[in-house]
Amino acid sequence: MPAMAPATLNRARVLGIVGWSGSGKTTLITKLIPELTARGIRVATLKHAHHSFDLDQPGKDSYEHRKAGACEVIISSARRWAQMHEVGDGAEATLS
């Protein structure tokens, strides 16, 4: 069997933006994203929340699945998907 050439991979670049609440981080990011995507750069963001939050709402199937005890729930459509992982009383995940 012939040896396969190593795949050429683009290494991901990471840019961290931090600051106090109200300092303009979101404004900066929402102006930076269109500039980067216009240059052909794919952008992904990770937003840390210091409080509990829900992507789904009471009465929706995904909410009921989590409420029933599912530790992983993925909401998927033709346009996007989101995954929720319940950590329960465990330690908060670090971003490092």
Side-chain angles (χ1 to χ4, degrees):
M1 185 175 236
M4 301 202 46
T8 303
L9 298 176
N10 292 325
R11 297 211 177 229
R13 307 298 196 280
V14 177
L15 170 66
I17 299 175
V18 298
W20 298 107
S21 178
S23 64
K25 298 179 302 295
T26 300
T27 299
L28 172 62
I29 291 167
T30 57
K31 292 183 183 301
L32 188 58
I33 290 171
E35 292 294 327
L36 295 171
T37 57
R39 296 175 189 201
I41 299 170
R42 290 178 53 198
V43 177
T45 65
L46 183 151
K47 169 67 175 100
H48 178 262
H50 292 280
H51 47 79
S52 178
F53 66 94
D54 280 321
L55 295 176
D56 51 359
Q57 302 299 318
K60 297 295 186 182
D61 292 344
S62 56
Y63 179 90
E64 298 302 325
H65 296 179
R66 283 193 309 123
K67 184 177 170 187
C71 62
E72 298 278 344
V73 175
I74 296 175
I75 304 170
S76 178
S77 74
R79 298 187 53 96
R80 65 184 55 93
W81 65 271
Q83 177 182 8
M84 290 174 285
H85 174 84
E86 293 295 322
V87 296
D89 294 331
E92 181 177 343
T94 64
L95 300 180
S96 59

